[in-house]
Amino acid sequence: MKKRALAALLVSTLTLATAPVTVFADTFDQQIQEKNDKIADLQNQQAGAQSQIETAEAEVAAVNGKIQDLEAKQTKLTDETLKLQDEIAQLKLRIAKRQEKINKQARDTQVNGSATTYLDAVLGSSSITDMVNRVQAMSTLVNANQDLLKQQQADKEAVESNVKENEAKIKELNESQTELAEQKKDIANKQAELEVLKATLAAEEAKTEQDKKTLQKKKAEAEAEAARIKAEQEKAEKARKAEAARQQKLAAQAAAEAKEQEKQAQESKPVQETPKAPEASTEPEDNNNTGSSETPEPTPTPDPEPTPDPEPEVPKPGDGNGIDHSGSGNMYPWGQCTYYVKMVAPWVGTYWGNGADWAYSASADGYRVDGTPEVGSVVVFAAGQHGFSAQYGHVGYVESVNGDGTFTFSQGGMGFASPTGPNYQTLSASGLRFIHRY
């Protein structure tokens, strides 16, 4: 009876041991399904984000095309403005020189008396032929003066026309620059948004991939644990069946022995001995293990100065009472040296031409021009002087004068880090011209 009870207890124990295995497998199947659902959702989000990136990249490409067109237009307008500025400066210089000639003739007429001179020339003729020649010469002189006046008037009209044309081009250039600035701002915003979107997508993709790896690891661990438990259950079931067969065999032997002893007892009544039943000494070992281990999820890793040129020839300096052009606005091309000096010294002329022309133009407007730098004066470089433009020359604004014969000036221009200035430089004053406000 004791052995039968032990066998029944072993069967019951093995039956109960199979329940945690089922629960264990079901729990991991549920977790795996949840992870699969999350991965699918993240993949859908990534697909949507990729579509937004492609749209943003198309918009950036379109804006880049517009910017290239605007930059080409801006370059063309700048070249045209520079040429027009030079034409205006040349016309103004020609008008100034012609006006000086007209003024000289007027002064000669007032001093010498032209009418009397003409009459004396006729009356003092030695013959009719001499008189005719003198009259023709005086007529030619009068006609030349009239032609001079007509040319003067025509050049003045040309200056006015060129000024209007230049102002129109400057306006168009400014509008183009404004549009270019807006376009660049838009593309900068688009690129910033695109970078944020890409960074977000990369983070989501990395997280999804890490989750996927963690899920696969847990799944493999769950499958390995389930296989281990199943093997132990099969082993326990096999041991249970073997023990049951052994117990059944022992029970049969015990019954046979009891029957044989009973028969012998019947045959020999005087002495009766109670046979000893064999004892079962082996009990099955329960090796069932329903525990599980789970590896913690890893934390993802977070992603020499040139020799000065000879002094340029300039006209006689003005008296220092130059014309103040502060209210004329800045009509020089953006990003040029003339544009910068006009911004920091509004009193300079609006149509003084290229940098190399400024000394002559300023003198014609009454400004004092000499070779001595002063704080607040404008330094003028001839064409090619100190390595500046061999075609247009250069200008700058004097910031300080040093005791060693040098001076420091600020400047602008397309060749500097900041086209609109200020860009600072220190040079020797030797061989340079300076325009003084007073």
Side-chain angles (χ1 to χ4, degrees):
M1 291 298 294
K2 181 179 179 181
K3 293 180 180 179
R4 291 178 181 176
L6 180 61
L9 180 60
L10 178 61
V11 172
S12 299
T13 302
L14 292 174
T15 302
L16 291 175
T18 60
V21 178
T22 303
V23 175
F24 180 84
D26 290 344
T27 299
F28 273 94
D29 286 342
Q30 182 179 358
Q31 291 179 358
I32 291 173
Q33 185 60 45
E34 290 175 355
K35 291 294 184 180
N36 285 332
D37 293 341
K38 185 175 181 179
I39 289 175
D41 181 61
L42 287 174
Q43 289 175 345
N44 291 334
Q45 293 181 19
Q46 290 177 2
Q50 183 61 36
S51 176
Q52 294 178 17
I53 287 177
E54 293 173 356
T55 301
E57 287 177 342
E59 293 177 356
V60 168
V63 172
N64 275 329
K66 292 180 180 179
I67 287 180
Q68 291 177 357
D69 293 340
L70 286 173
E71 288 176 344
K73 183 178 179 182
Q74 183 180 14
T75 301
K76 182 179 179 182
L77 285 174
T78 299
D79 292 341
E80 293 176 356
T81 300
L82 288 173
K83 292 178 181 179
L84 195 55
Q85 290 276 4
D86 187 58
E87 291 176 6
I88 292 173
Q90 296 300 326
L91 284 173
K92 292 193 71 177
L93 291 176
R94 197 160 61 210
I95 290 172
K97 292 179 180 179
R98 192 182 293 116
Q99 187 65 44
E100 183 179 354
K101 185 176 181 180
I102 293 172
N103 292 340
K104 182 178 179 181
Q105 290 180 355
R107 286 193 298 270
D108 290 343
T109 299
Q110 291 177 353
V111 174
N112 299 324
S114 62
T116 302
T117 302
Y118 295 157
L119 182 59
D120 290 342
V122 174
L123 294 177
S125 301
S126 60
S127 64
I128 297 298
T129 301
D130 186 28
M131 181 183 68
V132 171
N133 290 336
R134 291 189 178 194
V135 170
Q136 289 179 346
M138 289 186 291
S139 177
T140 300
L141 181 60
V142 171
N143 290 335
N145 289 337
Q146 290 177 348
D147 291 341
L148 190 64
L149 292 173
K150 290 180 181 179
Q151 291 175 2
Q152 185 76 340
Q153 183 63 30
D155 284 347
K156 288 182 178 180
E157 292 176 355
V159 167
E160 294 177 358
S161 175
N162 285 343
V163 166
K164 291 181 181 179
E165 182 180 354
N166 181 71
E167 290 175 350
K169 288 184 179 295
I170 290 294
K171 181 180 179 181
E172 182 180 359
L173 181 60
N174 290 336
E175 291 175 352
S176 174
Q177 290 169 348
T178 300
E179 184 177 357
L180 177 61
E182 290 297 325
Q183 293 289 342
K184 285 186 176 180
K185 180 180 178 181
D186 290 342
I187 193 173
N189 291 335
K190 288 290 183 183
Q191 288 175 335
E193 293 175 0
L194 181 59
E195 291 301 326
V196 171
L197 192 59
K198 284 184 175 180
T200 302
L201 177 60
E204 288 293 331
E205 185 176 5
K207 185 177 183 301
T208 303
E209 185 63 26
Q210 190 60 46
D211 289 345
K212 181 179 180 180
K213 290 179 179 180
T214 302
L215 175 63
Q216 290 173 341
K217 183 177 181 180
K218 289 183 178 180
K219 181 179 180 180
E221 291 174 351
E223 290 175 345
E225 184 66 14
R228 183 187 66 80
I229 292 175
K230 183 178 180 181
E232 289 183 354
Q233 290 177 340
E234 291 176 350
K235 181 180 179 181
E237 179 66 14
K238 184 178 181 180
R240 183 189 65 80
K241 290 180 178 179
E243 181 65 18
R246 189 180 72 83
Q247 293 294 336
Q248 185 176 5
K249 181 178 180 180
L250 291 176
Q253 291 177 353
E257 290 177 359
K259 186 176 181 180
E260 179 65 24
Q261 290 176 358
E262 184 179 357
K263 180 179 178 182
Q264 291 178 0
Q266 291 293 334
E267 291 177 354
S268 85
K269 291 183 180 180
V271 179
Q272 294 183 357
E273 295 180 3
T274 303
K276 295 183 178 179
E279 295 181 0
S281 62
T282 302
E283 293 184 0
E285 181 180 354
D286 186 4
N287 293 324
N288 185 45
N289 185 10
T290 60
S292 63
S293 62
E294 181 174 336
T295 303
E297 179 178 349
T299 302
T301 303
D303 297 331
E305 178 180 327
T307 303
D309 297 333
E311 294 185 6
E313 183 180 354
V314 297
K316 183 179 180 180
D319 57 5
N321 296 320
I323 301 173
D324 189 352
H325 297 278
S326 298
S328 62
N330 193 345
M331 295 302 172
Y332 294 103
W334 180 93
Q336 301 299 316
C337 61
T338 50
Y339 178 91
Y340 169 75
V341 174
K342 179 65 175 175
M343 292 298 294
V344 296
W347 50 270
V348 303
T350 305
Y351 296 103
W352 282 3
N354 296 315
D357 302 324
W358 274 36
Y360 199 104
S361 298
S363 182
D365 275 354
Y367 286 94
R368 177 167 58 92
V369 180
D370 57 25
T372 304
E374 293 179 357
V375 175
S377 62
V378 176
V379 57
V380 180
F381 297 86
Q385 196 172 18
H386 281 285
F388 291 111
S389 173
Q391 182 178 0
Y392 302 115
H394 189 60
V395 289
Y397 184 79
V398 178
E399 301 285 351
S400 63
V401 179
N402 309 315
D404 58 354
T406 63
F407 70 100
T408 300
F409 66 101
S410 59
Q411 58 198 322
M414 298 305 294
F416 297 99
S418 174
T420 56
N423 303 280
Y424 297 95
Q425 190 172 356
T426 299
L427 291 175
S428 171
S430 177
L432 299 175
R433 308 301 294 175
F434 298 87
I435 304 171
H436 302 275
R437 177 69 179 89
Y438 301 103

